[in-house]
Amino acid sequence: MKLYLCQMNVVPGKPSTNFETIRKNVAEAVAAHADMVVFPAFSLSGVMAGDLFLQQDFRNKCVEFGEKVAKLSKDVDILFGNIDSECQNQNFFASKGKFSDKAPTEVTIGMDCSPFLVGKSEARMSALGINARRTQKPIVFLNAVGTQNIGKRIFAFDGSSSVYNADGTTAYQFPAFESQSVLVSIQNGKATVDGAFGVAGSQNHQLTGISKIHAALVYMIRENLARMGIKRMVIGASGGIDSAVCAALYTEAIGKENVFLVNMPTRFNSDTTKNAARDLAENLGTPYMVAPISEILNAVCDSLGKCSFVRNDTAMKVEGINYENLQARTRSASVLATVASILGAGITCNGNKSEAMVGYCTLYGDTCGVMCALGDLWKTQVYALANDINKNGEIIPKASIEIPASAELSEAMNVDEGKGDPIIYPYHDKLFAYWVERNKSLDDSLKLLDKGATNFCKELGVNEEFFRKQFPTDKAAAEDMRAWYRRYRGIALAKRLQFPPILTVSSHPFGSESYEAQL
């Protein structure tokens, strides 16, 4: 039996577009003398089509195009996924130009339209191999590629389709994040690849860990900017790790000529970070501009200082945290947004999951952007991603990796003096993940600490010696936990709800109403 397996890019809400992809692959399957051509689940509708699923007109169109797919089966059997008129997901088998119930039995076929999440495809591959060995029957697993979203969360569909022999061994692994069709012969419990069509020779299917996250982020950036019609991006390049990693990802996705880096220094920015921003642009080969903002800040402060309320005597003196926030908002909402308008571009949000978790960011400042590439990565993962980007040579400057992470908004954040963010990332990332990814409460973490620092650090995966240097007493650690948890469940929630759409790579991203209900 010859199967033509199509790991196709399913475009959500576009049954006509998906039908054309299906028709093209059916013609190729006929030319390859295949007995059956197989497509993923939801191959006409997509799985994340939002409110379109509530519209009877959309459901009818999906059914209509499903009938058109059935008519293509005159010369080759077709197995595909689609919704029915009641919006239920179904797998449809068509033969001789019409729907049929007689699907093949000599091979087990699984069809999905499932997004990439860290570790998901590896776990699935292991389970499928075990199942093939248990049933003594070859297994085909076919997944979609492309990107889909649920508004505030964007997903990459990695494909990572696979074929297994009856003994559980892998016969073929499709490339990740790429469309590809493969002709497979099934005989006597063994699957043999007769030919691969489309993108061949890709190494993406061999990626794991941070390297696969890297590929997923670039893929989502490229696909979604194209879908939104955005060809250029403007990035505030501070010299820090987050903006440097974002610049590298966007450059890889859309090309160096389309990524514009802008450094916006004040008296608080060190030569170290300013030079790092310049070096990053040199390494990437992107357009680069220095746009000092001190005069703009002074003008705002002077102008407001001359103003006053009627029936309130609060002086309009911009200082402290208000001056820090003014810097952040001036950079993003004023300078970067204006530069992007001139260039016909979008702007990025360079924030990460650690900052979003506790609201260490400025609304209408560094939270602005078309989408948030690092919003589902803890800060420690951002550093790991920087090292992956640099694996074939320095792109992210060494200084950006080695200096303390800092917003550089006051003298208290002087990186040359070793001063930086209040978040102690090697520890707090583990604590935050304990709350978010393991669904634990503040009380859970406090009770865990009561069992002793050794047990606490082991459970979180934190170096105990490092932990004790930061918190000499359990009381200090407990107070720190309470302070961050208050922010996490308080003001930070309001900020997270206004974050741009987040590129999702984990099973516990922010940006979902069920996770972020305003209780």
Side-chain angles (χ1 to χ4, degrees):
M1 181 182 189
K2 287 189 175 182
L3 300 177
Y4 194 81
L5 309 177
C6 303
Q7 180 173 279
M8 66 176 278
N9 189 327
V10 175
V11 183
K14 300 288 185 180
S16 60
T17 300
N18 294 324
F19 174 75
E20 291 305 320
T21 301
I22 289 173
R23 179 159 59 183
K24 174 178 175 292
N25 277 277
V26 169
E28 292 173 353
V30 171
H33 304 291
D35 297 305
M36 183 168 69
V37 56
V38 186
F39 298 96
F42 294 96
S43 54
L44 283 169
S45 65
V47 73
M48 297 179 184
D51 288 348
L52 286 178
F53 285 124
L54 302 177
Q55 299 177 12
Q56 189 62 52
D57 181 64
F58 175 71
R59 299 199 294 267
N60 291 343
K61 283 182 180 178
C62 290
V63 171
E64 175 189 335
F65 278 103
E67 292 169 349
K68 289 184 178 181
V69 172
K71 292 178 182 178
L72 298 177
S73 67
K74 293 179 180 178
D75 299 310
V76 63
D77 292 347
I78 302 174
L79 184 61
F80 68 102
N82 192 22
I83 59 171
D84 60 21
S85 59
E86 300 300 319
C87 206
Q88 298 298 312
N89 176 35
Q90 302 282 347
N91 292 334
F92 294 93
F93 177 67
S95 181
K96 296 181 175 57
K98 59 183 180 179
F99 291 114
S100 172
D101 295 328
K102 297 180 179 179
T105 58
E106 59 264 48
V107 58
T108 301
I109 300 176
M111 299 143 66
D112 206 349
C113 193
S114 178
F116 164 77
L117 298 174
V118 174
K120 183 177 180 179
S121 60
E122 290 81 4
R124 182 175 59 213
M125 288 173 62
S126 175
L128 288 169
I130 291 171
N131 196 42
R133 188 164 58 250
R134 180 182 61 81
T135 60
Q136 289 294 294
K137 184 186 290 189
I139 287 181
V140 167
F141 171 77
L142 194 61
N143 192 23
V145 295
T147 64
Q148 300 186 37
N149 72 84
I150 53 174
K152 291 296 290 286
R153 288 191 289 165
I154 297 171
F155 295 85
F157 285 67
D158 60 324
S160 295
S161 306
S162 45
V163 182
Y164 302 87
N165 297 312
D167 62 2
T169 57
T170 303
Y172 187 74
Q173 178 70 40
F174 281 72
F177 310 114
E178 295 175 1
S179 300
Q180 189 184 72
S181 299
V182 174
L183 183 65
V184 177
S185 293
I186 306 289
Q187 189 173 13
N188 299 323
K190 188 173 179 61
T192 305
V193 177
D194 285 358
F197 306 87
V199 179
S202 170
Q203 297 300 307
N204 278 355
H205 61 293
Q206 299 176 5
L207 298 177
T208 58
I210 198 67
S211 294
K212 195 163 186 180
I213 290 175
H214 180 175
L217 293 174
V218 171
Y219 184 62
M220 282 187 276
I221 290 169
R222 181 183 298 124
E223 289 275 316
N224 280 279
L225 289 183
R227 187 171 295 173
M228 291 185 284
I230 298 175
K231 297 180 180 179
R232 291 175 162 184
M233 290 296 290
V234 175
I235 299 178
S238 66
I241 190 71
D242 296 320
S243 62
V245 168
C246 281
L249 294 174
Y250 279 87
T251 298
E252 188 176 346
I254 62 174
K256 61 186 179 182
E257 70 280 5
N258 296 315
V259 178
F260 296 77
L261 304 188
V262 183
N263 181 252
M264 296 163 285
T266 68
R267 68 181 186 276
F268 302 125
N269 294 94
S270 68
D271 288 339
T272 302
T273 53
K274 287 186 285 188
N275 291 340
R278 179 202 62 207
D279 293 343
L280 171 69
E282 287 292 329
N283 293 345
L284 293 172
T286 60
Y288 177 67
M289 178 172 71
V290 177
I293 63 170
S294 294
E295 291 185 7
I296 302 174
L297 298 173
N298 292 338
V300 172
C301 293
D302 291 345
S303 180
L304 275 177
K306 299 172 184 177
C307 301
S308 63
F309 282 105
V310 176
R311 292 178 293 279
N312 188 284
D313 60 358
T314 302
M316 291 295 99
K317 187 174 183 180
V318 185
E319 58 186 3
I321 187 65
N322 300 314
Y323 188 68
E324 294 176 19
N325 287 334
L326 175 61
Q327 293 172 66
R329 292 191 179 105
T330 299
R331 286 181 172 125
S332 295
S334 293
V335 176
L336 291 181
T338 301
V339 171
S341 179
I342 293 169
L343 294 171
I347 63 174
T348 66
C349 172
N350 301 331
N352 58 63
K353 194 170 187 175
S354 306
E355 295 167 347
M357 165 91 182
V358 293
Y360 188 63
C361 50
T362 302
L363 273 179
Y364 324 119
D366 48 349
T367 59
C368 293
V370 170
M371 55 187 165
C372 187
L374 306 180
D376 199 21
L377 270 69
W378 302 110
K379 186 80 164 191
T380 44
Q381 289 179 296
V382 176
Y383 281 102
L385 184 53
N387 289 326
D388 190 71
I389 291 169
N390 281 358
K391 63 187 175 185
N392 295 319
E394 184 177 292
I395 295 175
I396 309 296
K398 186 178 179 181
S400 296
I401 297 173
E402 293 183 347
I403 59 172
S406 174
E408 289 193 300
L409 298 174
S410 71
E411 293 291 354
M413 305 176 189
N414 190 314
V415 296
D416 290 336
E417 296 177 2
K419 301 172 183 176
D421 295 347
I423 307 173
I424 306 166
Y425 295 106
Y427 162 65
H428 283 127
D429 275 5
K430 299 292 186 181
L431 177 64
F432 296 166
Y434 182 74
W435 291 334
V436 173
E437 296 176 358
R438 296 166 68 177
N439 298 312
K440 300 295 184 179
S441 67
L442 173 62
D443 284 346
D444 289 327
S445 55
L446 290 172
K447 289 175 183 177
L448 184 61
L449 182 61
D450 285 342
K451 295 179 180 180
T454 299
N455 189 70
F456 177 79
C457 291
K458 183 178 180 181
E459 183 70 17
L460 264 63
V462 174
N463 180 278
E464 185 177 355
E465 183 180 355
F466 176 82
F467 171 75
R468 273 304 179 213
K469 283 183 179 179
Q470 311 304 319
F471 306 101
T473 66
D474 287 356
K475 181 180 179 181
E479 285 303 311
D480 176 80
M481 276 192 276
R482 291 189 183 97
W484 287 119
Y485 199 85
R486 281 195 298 270
R487 287 185 63 94
Y488 163 45
R489 302 304 298 173
I491 186 62
L493 173 55
K495 294 183 178 183
R496 286 193 297 273
L497 290 172
Q498 297 189 63
F499 253 64
I502 291 172
L503 304 190
T504 303
V505 297
S506 82
S507 57
H508 289 79
F510 295 123
S512 165
E513 291 80 3
S514 59
Y515 291 137
E516 294 285 275
Q518 297 188 64
L519 302 177

